[in-house]
Amino acid sequence: MTTTDGSHRVMRPVTLRYWAGARAAAGVSEETLHVGPLVGDVLDAAVEAHPALREVVAVCSVLVDGRSVGRDVEVAEGTVVEVLPPFAGG
């Protein structure tokens, strides 16, 4: 992919796993997307593929390989990103 400034952006396959309301919004429990280098790129690609995820992603927790992270964390090829919406229960 070439960006607007002429540089090339490396796209990498990342596995997304959706839980609870995120799974309902995405319509799938797991998928692989080819995305840019950051968690934010992964989430943006997921919302682009599944617009109903927009509200969920705004309030969700994100795990990368089991660790809670923010949007600015870099993801490697083959990384597993999990989208966990807030949930109630006890």
Side-chain angles (χ1 to χ4, degrees):
M1 171 183 208
T2 303
T3 61
T4 55
D5 66 2
S7 62
H8 293 281
R9 185 171 181 159
V10 176
M11 304 299 275
R12 58 200 75 187
V14 172
T15 299
L16 283 97
R17 291 189 184 142
Y18 303 106
W19 298 98
R23 178 177 40 225
V28 297
S29 60
E30 183 175 305
E31 66 184 334
T32 299
L33 297 176
H34 286 75
V35 297
L38 302 176
V39 168
D41 297 322
V42 174
L43 297 176
D44 292 346
V47 168
E48 185 175 327
H50 311 286
L53 276 172
R54 184 171 310 283
E55 290 181 27
V56 175
V57 166
V59 296
C60 72
S61 296
V62 178
L63 303 179
V64 170
D65 294 332
R67 188 174 53 101
S68 181
V69 299
R71 292 180 64 92
D72 61 341
V73 170
E74 190 165 334
V75 293
E77 182 174 327
T79 297
V80 175
V81 176
E82 298 182 76
V83 180
L84 291 91
F87 57 93

